[in-house]
Amino acid sequence: MTKPLVIEQLASVLAPEHIATEEKETEHYRKGWRSGGGAALAVLFPQTLIEYWRALEVCVASNCIIVMQAANTGLTEGSAPNGEDYDRDVIVINTLAMDNIVVLGDGEQIISFPGATLHKLEKTLKPFKRAPHSVIGSSCLGASVVGGIANNSGGALVKRGPAYTELALYAQVNANGVLSLVNHLGIDLGNEPEEILANLVSGDFEQCLGRAVGDQDVRVASASDYESRIRDVDANSPSRFNADSSRLYEASGCAGKIAVFAVRLDTFEMPAREQTYYIGTNDPKVLTRIRKHMLTQFTHLPEVGEYMHRDVFDVAKEYGKDTLLSIKHLGTDTMPTLFAAKGRIDAVLNKLTFLPDNLTDKFMQVISKLFPCQLSHRLMQWRDKFEHHLILKMSDNGIEEANKYLEHLFVNNEQGGYFVCSDDEAENAYLLRFAAAGAAVRYQIMNADKTSDILALDIALRRNDETWVEALPEDIAKHIDMPLYYGHFFCHVFHQDYILKRGSSAKEVKEKILALLDQRGAKYPAEHNVGHMYEAEASLKAFYTDLDPTNTFNPGVGKMDKHKRNCACSI
């Protein structure tokens, strides 16, 4: 079909304002959050599930590549087109407008539509005194619930593991090129696609919390075995990572190889009390001891255990101040809109050759310097005293366990120190940790005269690995302006951002670092999907191919082939 005819047919399904074809209109949606991007014939913004289904029908009938996108907040270029070497026209479908959340029972479970954000889910569950799998993340705001499921995202909450469900409603193209709607929500919604979608939207179905239909009785809606897994500190394997075959199931880990319409998820009871501790030490073995003791000896696991190196503290304090201020004073509700607006402004300004690159970042950095430091005197003291920092949150009866243990461990302050955070200190500590990823990007922008790329890795170390502090050999270290280490400490999942010196090759440095990680038995990526930055393991490639045998959805992910497959092809 010719391009005009494809667009014409899509115009019979979607309103004109929900189809973007001009380069300036689509640029924001054709680029990754940090890097990557490519060409697309159009970006679609369906407003209802039925519009979404009809748009998919047109795209499949027109032999188009389909790239699924929600908030586009991933770090591995997996939710935007990649390059211009596809063999078919590319259509991006952005699902953010379809953001309904259906609460089941008294909030024990929910059904999330494809555009619902984690923040909206958190607000929806608050009256029920329930909490979602994930809360504010370590890299971005506005992330969607379905995006987390599709990417096997982990999050900062120690007890809950990767985002996971076996209950989903999704569209799939089979080996013969036929599009079908698969209802594995465990709820009888009818038989025909548009009937199923209409019933889901209207809520015209019997809520069947705690049971499912037919053979779906055994399906689960969360990684309910994760607590026992993370407690096994002697295991010679990571607790969670993207290619873990036990966490690949239909929508879970699908990486956009199917079109997800809804997922059904467990929620979690909110604790009655919470207390945050800020721990500092100059000996990483102290944090290793804390991790092993709490995971093996505590009756109640921590809620959160976030690690920051002093260098991350410094970079986030200076280059993430505007993020911290914005969230604190404007609230998380406004942040996705502000980030999207910034992206659109950047797309326009970067085309004006007489202006410097990244003008909005540079402007915001200058403005942020007009505001005082938001961190308390005690937080700054701990920054000066200690190289390694741990933000620990305990709840309910776990608070007493932590009080006794930490008081005994630091009785003479020889191992380091800790203090119990005030509400304001706790909020600022978490926001500082959250701002780290964006602050690394801002640091690189503001120091472009001496730096080049950022190599951002998220890795999962083995649960029994006690040498978690990386020591880079000189042939790698000489290329790095600053390494930044932070992460989810009890899960042994770390974000490692390497800001490279000008003239250094990101590809060569990455190959050397990944070789070191292979020697250590680490897995990568841990929680951000392989995207277009990592080669998928053989088992993950097989999973993608089973989901999408014709290579219609998100081709090239995991460094796989971008060309169309027929039913006789294999990986």
Side-chain angles (χ1 to χ4, degrees):
M1 302 181 73
T2 63
K3 291 182 182 179
L5 185 55
V6 175
I7 301 302
E8 183 179 328
Q9 292 196 345
L10 287 169
S12 70
V13 173
L14 303 175
E17 63 268 26
H18 299 143
I19 303 173
T21 57
E22 297 298 323
E23 187 175 344
K24 288 183 179 179
E25 292 180 308
T26 63
E27 183 174 4
H28 173 68
Y29 305 95
R30 292 186 289 103
K31 287 188 173 182
W33 189 71
R34 265 191 177 175
S35 61
L41 176 63
V43 180
L44 311 182
F45 304 90
Q47 304 295 294
T48 68
L49 296 184
I50 289 179
E51 285 187 356
Y52 180 16
W53 169 255
R54 291 173 179 171
L56 285 171
E57 287 184 308
V58 172
C59 293
V60 172
S62 303
N63 192 32
C64 290
I65 284 170
I66 301 166
V67 175
M68 298 307 311
Q69 181 184 99
N72 193 19
T73 54
L75 298 182
T76 57
E77 307 176 4
S79 54
N82 181 260
E84 301 187 9
D85 56 341
Y86 295 100
D87 61 338
R88 293 151 286 165
D89 287 326
V90 177
I91 302 289
V92 177
I93 301 183
N94 184 286
T95 64
L96 278 183
M98 300 169 288
D99 63 349
N100 290 18
I101 294 173
V102 179
V103 177
L104 301 179
D106 292 323
E108 296 96 335
Q109 286 188 336
I110 60 94
I111 296 173
S112 171
F113 285 22
T117 63
L118 289 169
H119 180 64
K120 180 173 182 176
L121 178 55
E122 191 175 5
K123 288 178 64 177
T124 300
L125 291 174
K126 194 171 183 179
F128 297 91
K129 297 185 178 179
R130 308 285 297 184
H133 165 273
S134 301
V135 291
I136 187 171
S138 61
S139 57
C140 50
L141 280 168
S144 69
V145 176
V146 167
I149 295 294
N151 293 326
N152 266 349
S153 298
L157 299 174
V158 174
K159 304 174 185 178
R160 298 177 194 174
Y164 181 75
T165 186
E166 297 172 358
L167 299 166
L169 174 67
Y170 60 93
Q172 184 175 37
V173 176
N174 68 16
N176 296 316
V178 177
L179 179 72
S180 63
L181 188 67
V182 180
N183 178 16
H184 286 167
L185 282 175
I187 298 172
D188 187 359
L189 294 169
N191 298 308
E192 297 303 316
E194 294 200 9
E195 175 192 15
I196 291 170
L197 297 174
N199 286 336
L200 177 60
V201 170
S202 69
D204 185 17
F205 54 85
E206 180 184 355
Q207 292 192 6
C208 49
L209 187 66
R211 63 180 179 85
V213 175
D215 64 353
Q216 294 166 182
D217 291 277
V218 297
R219 297 192 179 195
V220 299
S222 63
S224 54
D225 64 338
Y226 188 70
E227 184 167 332
S228 61
R229 181 181 289 201
I230 196 175
R231 284 185 180 274
D232 186 2
V233 297
D234 295 321
N236 195 37
S237 61
S239 59
R240 56 179 170 91
F241 57 100
N242 184 260
D244 183 354
S245 58
S246 69
R247 302 300 186 209
L248 301 176
Y249 193 97
E250 296 178 352
S252 294
C254 70
K257 299 299 285 182
I258 53 178
V260 181
F261 281 72
V263 293
R264 179 173 164 187
L265 300 169
D266 290 334
T267 68
F268 304 86
E269 187 176 358
M270 292 178 65
R273 295 185 300 142
E274 291 183 331
Q275 188 161 285
T276 296
Y277 306 82
Y278 200 90
I279 300 168
T281 182
N282 289 313
D283 183 357
K285 293 179 181 179
V286 172
L287 297 188
T288 300
R289 195 177 313 142
I290 290 172
R291 174 180 176 269
K292 291 186 70 172
H293 182 88
M294 289 187 173
L295 291 179
T296 59
Q297 302 301 316
F298 272 31
T299 302
H300 307 279
L301 288 183
E303 296 288 332
V304 173
E306 291 295 287
Y307 169 76
M308 285 192 300
H309 188 272
R310 178 192 278 151
D311 290 342
V312 172
F313 186 110
D314 290 344
V315 168
K317 170 182 170 289
E318 170 132 6
Y319 297 94
K321 187 194 291 185
D322 57 312
T323 298
L324 190 153
L325 285 165
S326 298
I327 297 173
K328 192 169 183 180
H329 297 292
L330 298 179
T332 51
D333 282 348
T334 63
M335 295 307 292
T337 302
L338 291 177
F339 280 135
K342 177 184 177 297
R344 286 190 288 271
I345 293 170
D346 284 339
V348 174
L349 295 182
N350 287 342
K351 286 183 169 57
L352 302 177
T353 56
F354 60 89
L355 292 176
D357 291 339
N358 303 300
L359 186 59
T360 57
D361 279 284
K362 293 174 181 177
F363 175 76
M364 290 163 66
Q365 184 62 27
V366 170
I367 293 297
S368 71
K369 290 182 178 295
L370 301 177
F371 292 86
C373 177
Q374 300 296 299
L375 306 179
S376 72
H377 178 67
R378 286 199 296 183
L379 283 170
M380 293 305 300
Q381 275 188 316
W382 253 240
R383 179 263 168 229
D384 294 339
K385 286 183 179 180
F386 303 117
E387 181 181 2
H388 303 284
H389 300 231
L390 181 66
I391 307 168
L392 175 71
K393 181 190 287 187
M394 303 297 299
S395 62
D396 296 333
N397 293 332
I399 294 172
E400 300 309 315
E401 284 187 290
N403 285 340
K404 292 178 181 177
Y405 175 68
L406 293 176
E407 184 178 349
H408 173 74
L409 180 65
F410 294 113
V411 62
N412 295 318
N413 293 326
E414 294 177 357
Q415 309 286 336
Y418 80 99
F419 62 85
V420 176
C421 295
S422 66
D423 290 345
D424 189 63
E425 285 174 324
E427 179 186 25
N428 285 337
Y430 291 126
L431 289 177
L432 187 73
R433 163 66 183 86
F434 164 79
V441 176
R442 179 72 59 76
Y443 173 92
Q444 189 274 326
I445 290 171
M446 300 305 296
N447 293 275
D449 58 326
K450 65 171 183 173
T451 64
S452 55
D453 295 327
I454 295 179
L455 177 58
L457 304 180
D458 61 292
I459 68 164
L461 297 180
R462 294 169 298 163
R463 283 167 281 178
N464 64 354
D465 193 343
E466 297 190 1
T467 56
W468 52 273
V469 176
E470 184 176 67
L472 292 173
E474 177 57 26
D475 68 320
I476 297 177
K478 67 182 182 181
H479 294 288
I480 297 173
D481 176 74
M482 182 180 293
L484 299 173
Y485 300 100
Y486 52 103
H488 315 306
F489 187 65
F490 288 88
C491 300
H492 253 199
V493 168
F494 293 90
H495 298 277
Q496 301 184 173
D497 292 350
Y498 306 91
I499 302 172
L500 302 184
K501 293 179 180 178
R502 179 160 288 281
S504 295
S505 167
K507 180 180 179 180
E508 292 178 8
V509 173
K510 181 179 179 180
E511 288 176 353
K512 290 181 179 180
I513 290 177
L514 294 185
L516 288 178
L517 293 173
D518 290 339
Q519 293 174 16
R520 297 174 64 186
K523 291 287 188 178
Y524 49 84
E527 58 181 7
H528 281 298
N529 194 297
V530 291
H532 291 280
M533 296 181 68
Y534 299 90
E535 182 172 355
E537 296 184 11
S539 59
L540 189 56
K541 288 180 179 179
F543 175 66
Y544 291 158
T545 304
D546 286 342
L547 286 180
D548 182 26
T550 62
N551 213 18
T552 296
F553 290 94
N554 209 5
V557 68
K559 297 191 179 295
M560 295 173 67
D561 190 5
K562 289 184 176 180
H563 296 106
K564 186 174 182 177
R565 288 191 296 263
N566 60 49
C567 58
C569 288
S570 60
I571 37 175

